[in-house]
Amino acid sequence: MTWHPTDEELDDYVIDAPNLSADERQRIERHLETCEACSDVTAGALDFADHLNEKETWRARALAGGPPSPRRVLDQVEQIRISDEAADYLLASLITSSADFEAAQITDDPNYHTAGVVRKLIKASERKRETEPAFAIMLANAAVVIAETLLTPHYTRELIHSLQGAAWRERANALRYIGRYPDALAACDRAEAAFRLNGITDFEIARVTFIRGTLLMETGHPNEALPLARESGAIFRKWHDDERLIDAGLLEGGILFEKGDAAGALAVFLSLVHAANTVDDAETSARLENNIAAAYQAIGDLVSAASHYQIALAVYAHLGMAVETLRTSWSVALLALKHGDRADGMKRLARVGEAFEQRGMLIEAALVAMDRAREHVRAGEFEPVVELCAHLAERFAAAGMYAHADEALAFLREAAAVGNANDELVDHARAYFRCLEHDPAFLFVPPAQ
Amino acid sequence: MPDDHATVLGEPFEQFYTRTGSLLLYLAHVRFEIALPDAEALVQDAFVKWLRDYEAIRDPRGWLIAAVCNASRNHHRDHRREVPLPLDFDRWSDPGAEEELNRIPTRLAVSAAITRLDERCAEMLYRHHVDHESLREIADTFAIKPSYAKLLLHLCRKRARELYLMLTAVVIA
């Protein structure tokens, strides 16, 4: 019959192995190598003894009853639910039309002065930011005004301050969308001040810090934006918020890229891949792949760049995100040019430009046309530049949205017609079209001679 | 507030509350050494804050851990004369501490097992495992012989482990 150590022998081995004789210890160890059952028991006993050795295990005895009843939590959840449902009812017909919303003057009506209405207005503003930014600001402003009217003791100070902070933060976000950057920065200050009254909730403050970083980046202050992107990213990481961590990382990498540190940007983007896989959000992954590709391209690793662009392209196409697919195709075309494959790159650019035109995205179409024009002038081909400018001028005239775009195109066309167009002129025109993205009425001024 | 708040990522809310609440209480009470009633209040506040901003929070467990660590730090700041902040106070909300956090449920189960032991058994184990008293010292305290103390310690550990295995047994329906 096979020998097995007794419970006591195993216990002695686990607890007091150094005091066993060498013979006893070796006998048990030889047995454990071959007996899976005794080996499992010993491993379990060792782990159990580790816990017994920890003072924390003994201090945790007070928790044997588990957490207190969730009643208080559930009661508060119910209060929130009722307040939100009432807000849904009050606001349902108002948050679909800015005219109806303005006419209702809800900030003057005490029935609307509830936490639920503030929450609902913030959510509504978030949804309108992209499509109706002016309405989003109206909604966020109302949220701010109402949040500032909430009173104790009906609401706790902590809730009031957190709603005020959230409302000001949403106002900052909404203002950012229409380019009112100084006002957006001021709203960030108000949001942070409100959150700080509520004790230091660094997660909420990090969300404000991230917006502030984005604003500073967009207004041309990358040096000030960079520490904010890093600071918010570190806090999102601490709060296990991978999606926001990726947003902060993309901002940080974007800033480094803008500053010309493509290798630094690449390192940041690559550090986000694990988080992106955890989030399992295809769009985020595609955006990240796109940025990784651009960084590889900038450091001259064109093979890696092509491979990451292809991944981004496949995901965007799979998601049916036509515009992002086009933007990535544009990058692939530029990559082909950089790689020396001029025929392929130009063919791709032509296709992308045409697709932008068909979607009515004239600025993007013009920027693609400028990329083509640059290639043509470098090759001494001026006639295609004249044709490109003439074609675009027709399209801009038909759209009737950009008062001075024709002047930029006429300037370039005339220079090309007499063989005077060069990289500098094309870049000047290109920079002008970039400005039109933010200001359709931007004046065209020819470059100084 | 979504109607489906009764479940958290597919887990019934009350089950999630009990499971996660125990971990959070452990952090606040055991790690941050906050008195139990205050620790319970911190944990419940964290749950309320989470439920208030339900949609914006992607990882409820991770968020709640960070919230409780944050609140515990603030509690220490507000009561700094009473107890010092633990030296490693900042690491529990770090994702790198995940493996250690995963050991907490086991520690809670071991702890629950030793609360079921008789007092003498628990005291002997504490003296031996935490205070590192020798068999002779334990024998002197309990007026028994060292060999008998050794036997009792073995039996107490064995009983504690049985209780632990009983508490953690998976019931197969």
Side-chain angles (χ1 to χ4, degrees), chain B residues 124-142:
Chain B
M124 287 181 85
L125 287 175
Y126 186 87
R127 282 170 179 270
H128 188 67
H129 284 274
V130 181
D131 289 345
H132 305 295
E133 286 187 8
S134 65
L135 289 175
R136 176 158 300 284
E137 286 169 313
I138 293 171
D140 287 347
T141 304
F142 291 93

Side-chain angles (χ1 to χ4, degrees), chain B residues 1-18:
Chain B
M1 179 66 50
D3 286 337
D4 64 351
H5 82 266
T7 66
V8 183
L9 304 174
E11 182 178 10
F13 174 77
E14 298 218 7
Q15 192 178 309
F16 174 78
Y17 174 86
T18 305

Side-chain angles (χ1 to χ4, degrees), chain A residues 8 11-12 47 51 53 56-57 59-61 68-69 72 76-77 81 123 158 200 238 244, chain B residues 3 5 17 26 30-31 44-45 48-49 51 55-56 70 73 93 103 107 111 129 150 154 157:
Chain A
E8 274 177 278
D11 193 51
D12 279 346
D47 191 45
H51 284 293
N53 292 337
E56 284 191 358
T57 306
R59 213 185 297 149
R61 280 181 296 172
S69 152
R72 196 190 122 214
Q76 294 210 24
V77 171
R81 180 197 289 278
K123 288 260 175 280
E158 182 267 329
I200 301 173
K238 191 180 85 178
R244 289 193 174 91
Chain B
D3 286 337
H5 82 266
Y17 174 86
Y26 184 94
V30 179
R31 286 272 153 89
Q44 291 209 331
D45 281 350
V48 171
K49 279 182 190 164
L51 287 164
E55 286 171 359
N70 208 47
R73 272 195 299 277
S93 47
R103 277 178 67 77
R107 180 151 297 164
S111 180
H129 284 274
K150 186 182 175 191
H154 162 67
R157 250 190 316 269

Side-chain angles (χ1 to χ4, degrees), chain A residues 86-133:
Chain A
D88 275 342
Y89 177 78
L90 288 169
L91 293 171
S93 60
L94 302 180
I95 54 174
T96 50
S97 143
S98 59
D100 290 348
F101 184 77
E102 200 166 16
Q105 296 192 316
I106 66 166
T107 51
D108 296 334
D109 184 344
N111 283 339
Y112 288 85
H113 295 183
T114 69
V117 166
V118 175
R119 280 191 291 268
K120 183 85 183 165
L121 288 171
I122 291 171
K123 288 260 175 280
S125 172
E126 282 171 10
R127 282 194 296 270
K128 297 286 180 191
R129 265 188 242 144
E130 292 264 2
T131 52
E132 296 175 73

Side-chain angles (χ1 to χ4, degrees), chain B residues 40-89:
Chain B
E40 287 178 347
L42 290 184
V43 168
Q44 291 209 331
D45 281 350
F47 270 101
V48 171
K49 279 182 190 164
W50 162 56
L51 287 164
R52 198 188 291 149
D53 210 5
Y54 190 94
E55 286 171 359
I57 294 163
R58 283 81 188 235
D59 173 3
R61 178 178 172 274
W63 192 92
L64 284 163
I65 288 170
V68 164
C69 291
N70 208 47
S72 299
R73 272 195 299 277
N74 289 343
H75 183 89
H76 271 276
R77 190 196 56 207
D78 297 342
H79 302 79
R80 73 179 66 164
R81 286 184 196 148
E82 293 169 23
V83 246
L85 198 59
L87 289 175
D88 56 355
F89 70 89

Side-chain angles (χ1 to χ4, degrees), chain A residues 364-392:
Chain A
E364 283 78 2
L367 292 168
V368 173
M370 293 304 109
D371 289 335
R372 292 172 68 192
R374 193 191 296 107
E375 282 301 306
H376 284 306
V377 299
R378 280 178 186 170
E381 302 161 358
F382 296 107
E383 189 51 37
V385 180
V386 173
E387 283 168 17
L388 269 174
C389 291
H391 171 74
L392 271 175

Side-chain angles (χ1 to χ4, degrees), chain A residues 321-439:
Chain A
M321 296 175 69
V323 174
E324 291 309 325
T325 306
L326 280 179
R327 287 189 200 283
T328 309
S329 302
W330 185 2
S331 301
V332 172
L334 293 175
L335 183 68
L337 290 178
K338 196 165 180 180
H339 208 45
D341 194 347
R342 187 171 185 272
D344 181 49
M346 291 298 266
K347 206 161 84 184
R348 285 174 186 271
L349 279 179
R351 267 205 310 261
V352 170
E354 199 179 319
F356 276 134
E357 266 187 45
Q358 280 168 2
R359 303 187 76 81
M361 298 172 74
L362 282 187
I363 302 295
E364 283 78 2
L367 292 168
V368 173
M370 293 304 109
D371 289 335
R372 292 172 68 192
R374 193 191 296 107
E375 282 301 306
H376 284 306
V377 299
R378 280 178 186 170
E381 302 161 358
F382 296 107
E383 189 51 37
V385 180
V386 173
E387 283 168 17
L388 269 174
C389 291
H391 171 74
L392 271 175
E394 271 176 37
R395 302 305 300 252
F396 272 100
M401 284 168 61
Y402 303 96
H404 305 284
D406 59 334
E407 293 162 30
L409 291 165
F411 173 79
L412 186 60
R413 189 182 62 224
E414 283 160 20
V418 294
N420 277 343
N422 55 27
D423 272 16
E424 223 173 89
L425 293 190
V426 174
D427 286 344
H428 185 78
R430 198 177 194 285
Y432 171 74
F433 286 112
R434 274 252 174 257
C435 294
L436 284 188
E437 283 181 312
H438 300 292
D439 181 3

